[in-house]
Amino acid sequence: MPDLLSEITRAARAYYAQADAFPRTATDFHDWLATLPVARRATIATRGFAASQAEPDFLRFCLEWRGYDMWGFMAKHLSVEAFALWEANGEFNGDLPTDSVSR
């Protein structure tokens, strides 16, 4: 399993790195906030736009809004076993931190 976890982490990091190709905007941030559950929305809004730039969920929202589908990316970049593990566990980001992605 550790090798599968490393594979998932590398692929997730590569997926999020695509966000470097475009700026995230305040509009992106507010659109994303509107999709969050109320309690999480309040927490994220308090942290603010600047502090959310590396938030994996925010990056995924921005990427998918621009047509960069994570499911398709991971299917293409993971082995069958790693993809099954990724999918079965809620499309997790391997061992990346839950609140920030360093690219």
Side-chain angles (χ1 to χ4, degrees):
M1 176 120 130
D3 292 333
L4 295 178
L5 184 60
S6 295
E7 184 180 345
I8 291 167
T9 302
R10 281 191 305 276
R13 191 177 309 279
Y15 173 76
Y16 294 121
Q18 297 175 106
D20 292 340
F22 55 84
R24 270 81 60 213
T25 67
T27 300
D28 292 328
F29 181 69
H30 292 290
D31 288 348
W32 174 59
L33 280 178
T35 70
L36 300 176
V38 174
R40 180 141 190 252
R41 183 180 316 147
T43 301
I44 297 294
T46 300
R47 284 193 358 214
F49 172 58
S52 298
Q53 293 292 305
E55 169 83 36
D57 289 342
F58 179 53
L59 292 174
R60 183 173 181 175
F61 176 85
C62 292
L63 285 162
E64 292 197 345
W65 187 254
R66 290 167 174 84
Y68 295 79
D69 174 54
M70 187 173 198
W71 191 93
F73 184 92
M74 298 300 268
K76 182 177 177 182
H77 291 87
L78 293 175
S79 65
V80 171
E81 297 82 8
F83 184 76
L85 178 64
W86 177 76
E87 208 174 28
N89 287 281
E91 300 181 3
F92 73 114
N93 293 311
D95 62 3
L96 294 176
T98 58
D99 63 346
S100 179
V101 176
S102 62
R103 301 177 307 271

